[in-house]
Amino acid sequence: MEPPTAGTPRDAVPVDLRTVRRRTTIVLVASQILGGLGVATAIALAAVLAEDISGSAALAGLAMTSSVIGTALLSLPLAALMASRGRRPGLTLAYLVGAVGGAVVVAAAVLENFPLLLLGMLAFGAGSSANLQARFAAADLAEPARRGRAISTVVWATTVGAVAGPNIAAPAGRSVSGLGVPQAAGPFVWGTLIFLLAAVLVWAALRPDPLLTARALAASTTVPPTRAERSLRAGVAAVAASPRARLALVAITGSHTVMVSVMVMTPVDLRHHGADIELIGLVISGHIAGMYAFSPVMGWLADRIGRLPVIGLAVLLLALAALLAGTAGAGHTQSAVGLFLLGLGWSAALVSGSALLTDSVPQAARAAVQGLSDLSMNAAAGAGGALAGLVVAQAGYGWLNALAAALLVPVAALALLTRLRAGP
């Protein structure tokens, strides 16, 4: 079975490879729906549960922060496992660790133990790691000319869980009444079960492994990579050697940091300007729709007009979002538009940046580079989210948006420099 090359007509791709691609996409979409549902259902009441256990509103945000840190810390070990053994064991393990984390959170709720809750949230972050890594699994077997669309399809699937999750948090809470489990921990019971289901699905159905299959196809025309060429050190070297890979990493990390930093403090600003819970929920729902629902459009654009132009579009959208949100004040409609554009800009950067990153490094090093990407974006976003509250407390929400917009300057400059180096 000969691997397709860039520009190969789809009809010329061997039937069995087309079948593997289709099956891989279906399994990844299904697991992404489950993973997104598990994360969104539980996270919806994470801060409430943390406040109930700790007795302090000031400590409530640490639950989400612990989850983000867990996602970052687990990115490299999972990437190393995938680089060595493939996507299937890596994604399966990630969902299982997330399930264990959910169970620990439930135990912490029953015992009213706040440190144990934070430990459980660290492990629960593995579910988000699996969701992020799934987009790269979709790219493993994709034709280069359709890689953006392959990634965006899996990102889009998160929409279902992200939107449905918060809406079933209340029924999940009620379902544990009478079991000795606090209602705010009910969503974590459901999240644990959903992660277990996702793990079973990936382990049973993600066959053949897309990463190992891609390597086998590449090995038919090249020398098989050594273990050293698949290592994390090789991944770092691959990024250092490629200006386009460096741009992709900066674009993904910068856009994610901007999005998280602004988003986490928007509900606080809206409340300070008289918005009720229902209105805040609608604004955040619009933001989530911008993040995921239009990702297929971003994937099509990334394949059609190129990765760099879509990264430029992402910078413009994020800058406009910061301008609108930061100057909205009591204008709730303007805030809603700003948050929608914030999600849309993030989608453009994530899809185009992920495709560019995959394009720009050797096949052997891709899994390691992709893990490095997820580590960078979540570590930076965790720091940004933690600092956002301090900025708002000291200087205000408008200054937070101004500082977030300033983070886009290096992305824009690097994109322009990379474009000039490429020539006409």
Side-chain angles (χ1 to χ4, degrees):
M1 180 169 63
E2 292 296 324
T5 58
T8 300
R10 294 188 70 194
D11 291 343
V13 177
V15 173
D16 51 349
L17 183 53
R18 292 205 305 270
T19 301
V20 170
R21 284 174 177 157
R22 189 179 304 113
R23 177 185 176 89
T24 298
T25 299
I26 291 172
V27 173
L28 290 174
V29 165
S31 67
Q32 196 77 339
I33 291 172
L34 289 172
L37 187 63
V39 170
T41 301
I43 291 299
L45 292 181
V48 174
L49 180 61
E51 183 176 5
D52 288 346
I53 294 176
S54 68
S56 170
L59 297 178
L62 289 180
M64 185 63 182
T65 301
S66 295
S67 179
V68 172
I69 293 172
T71 301
L73 292 177
L74 290 165
S75 297
L76 286 185
L78 289 173
L81 176 61
M82 292 183 199
S84 175
R85 302 296 179 88
R87 301 292 186 190
R88 182 167 152 263
L91 292 175
T92 301
L93 179 63
Y95 283 127
L96 289 176
V97 172
V100 170
V104 171
V105 169
V106 174
V110 173
L111 298 173
E112 297 185 353
N113 188 314
F114 188 66
L116 187 62
L117 170 73
L118 298 183
L119 180 63
M121 290 302 299
L122 278 173
F124 193 78
S128 295
S129 294
N131 290 347
L132 288 170
Q133 284 290 319
R135 76 189 192 277
F136 289 123
D140 288 333
L141 292 173
E143 300 165 85
R146 297 181 62 84
R147 192 167 281 148
R149 277 165 282 188
I151 292 171
S152 67
T153 298
V154 174
V155 173
W156 172 86
T158 310
T159 309
V160 179
V163 172
N167 292 314
I168 66 173
R174 291 192 295 269
S175 71
V176 299
S177 60
L179 300 179
V181 176
Q183 283 200 12
F188 283 94
V189 175
W190 284 36
T192 296
L193 296 176
I194 292 169
F195 280 167
L196 288 174
L197 182 58
V200 170
L201 172 65
V202 169
W203 183 255
L206 195 60
R207 300 171 184 266
D209 188 286
L211 180 57
L212 299 184
T213 302
R215 285 181 180 163
L217 289 170
S220 66
T221 57
T222 61
V223 177
T226 64
R227 178 175 295 183
E229 291 173 324
R230 301 195 304 262
S231 68
L232 293 175
R233 179 176 295 180
V236 173
V239 172
S242 171
R244 293 171 72 86
R246 293 197 297 272
L247 167 61
L249 193 61
V250 170
I252 292 170
T253 302
S255 63
H256 193 59
T257 304
V258 170
M259 187 275 291
V260 171
S261 300
V262 173
M263 183 269 292
V264 296
M265 295 309 299
T266 297
V268 176
D269 183 69
L270 287 171
R271 187 174 60 183
H272 288 170
H273 287 95
D276 57 19
I277 294 177
E278 288 75 13
L279 179 56
I280 293 173
L282 285 174
V283 171
I284 298 302
S285 294
H287 169 66
I288 293 173
M291 289 175 64
Y292 298 115
F294 295 89
S295 57
V297 176
M298 298 307 173
W300 180 83
L301 286 173
D303 289 339
R304 186 77 174 179
I305 66 175
R307 321 306 194 205
L308 265 64
V310 179
I311 288 176
L313 174 64
V315 170
L316 291 176
L317 288 171
L318 290 169
L320 180 58
L323 175 63
L324 290 175
T327 60
H332 297 149
T333 300
Q334 183 174 325
S335 293
V337 174
L339 265 289
F340 173 77
L341 292 178
L342 185 72
L344 201 61
W346 175 88
S347 179
L350 184 75
V351 171
S352 58
S354 298
L356 181 62
L357 189 67
T358 304
D359 294 340
S360 305
V361 297
Q363 204 283 331
R366 283 177 184 169
V369 169
Q370 291 157 355
L372 179 65
S373 168
D374 284 353
L375 169 65
S376 300
M377 67 185 285
N378 284 291
L387 292 173
L390 295 176
V391 172
V392 170
Q394 296 298 319
Y397 182 70
W399 273 104
L400 172 65
N401 280 271
L403 292 173
L407 294 177
L408 299 170
V409 174
V411 180
L414 193 54
L416 180 59
L417 182 60
T418 303
R419 182 71 183 94
L420 292 175
R421 283 176 175 173

